[in-house]
Amino acid sequence: MDLRAALTAHRLVAIVRGDDPEAALRTVLTLADEGVGLIEVSLTGRDALSVIERAREALGPDRPLGAGTVLTADDARAARDAGADFAVTPALGEGVTAAHALGLPVLAGVMTPTEIVTARGQGATGLKVFPAAQAGGPAYLRALRGPFPHELLVPVGGVDEAAARAYLAAGATAVGVGSPLIGDAADGGGHSALRERARAFLAAVREATA
């Protein structure tokens, strides 16, 4: 897949991590039904690879689906074999280089300018600025835009609806959102509230893009 084009077009990555595989699968499908174009399933969730496999079967081959928390070469291979289109890592290292070697575009976890330069060398397509809130929030991301005007910067960590607007206004390519969007849906919670949150985040992204 063209991760660069997808991040630029959709500007929102939903991060699904849960202890209930059935609920996590329903969460992925609900988000897709609401129009969330980029979804990642974290490998730290229970039976995450099975969730990815079943989501891929349900969504078909053309809907982007990622694997998150890819740390090792084994993680990268398993994610690819399960049907993931892209990999997301919390940091630099083997997960990035292995996924890249396997042909998976990578959203690589970084925090500092040095790590951004290193990520380039490891083949990352985009940069997950993580944990964004602790790194300095929208002001820090805006500062990174100076020396790195062409990088795909995706803040993740503590991004609620208001923060999503602020990061996008500060120059983020997209935002990655976990619990403020997912809530308890991937652990068996209600999905009507999930749909409401998805619509609110999508509206925030559209407003920031307009």
Side-chain angles (χ1 to χ4, degrees):
M1 67 168 292
D2 187 342
L3 183 59
R4 173 176 289 272
L7 288 168
T8 303
H10 295 293
R11 309 201 74 188
L12 172 66
V13 182
I15 303 165
V16 177
R17 176 187 292 108
D19 292 327
D20 182 335
E22 295 299 327
L25 176 62
R26 289 196 302 273
T27 298
V28 172
L29 299 182
T30 297
L31 291 168
D33 185 58
E34 287 296 331
V36 177
L38 285 171
I39 303 168
E40 75 169 84
V41 177
S42 172
L43 296 186
T44 57
R46 185 180 169 197
D47 293 338
L49 291 170
S50 174
V51 173
I52 293 172
E53 289 176 354
R54 295 163 66 196
R56 167 56 65 219
E57 182 178 358
L59 294 172
D62 299 325
R63 296 292 294 266
L65 183 63
T69 325
V70 174
L71 295 172
T72 67
D74 286 343
D75 288 342
R77 284 189 292 269
R80 179 202 59 185
D81 293 347
D85 298 300
F86 63 97
V88 184
T89 75
L92 302 179
E94 186 179 273
V96 178
T97 56
H100 177 64
L102 290 167
L104 291 177
V106 186
L107 186 60
V110 300
M111 183 180 279
T112 68
T114 298
E115 290 175 342
I116 290 174
V117 173
T118 302
R120 283 176 173 173
Q122 292 186 352
T125 299
L127 304 168
K128 169 183 170 178
V129 181
F130 175 80
Q134 286 72 21
Y140 181 66
L141 188 132
R142 185 179 290 108
L144 289 176
R145 270 285 168 236
F148 303 109
H150 304 300
E151 298 293 343
L152 303 180
L153 301 179
V154 182
V156 178
V159 181
D160 59 16
E161 188 182 331
R165 288 188 173 90
Y167 280 117
L168 292 169
T173 305
V175 291
V177 186
S179 57
L181 169 57
I182 307 305
D184 62 355
D187 296 317
H191 280 241
S192 59
L194 173 65
R195 288 184 182 276
E196 292 177 5
R197 291 190 297 271
R199 292 167 189 168
F201 271 97
L202 288 169
V205 168
R206 284 193 297 269
E207 290 169 12
T209 305

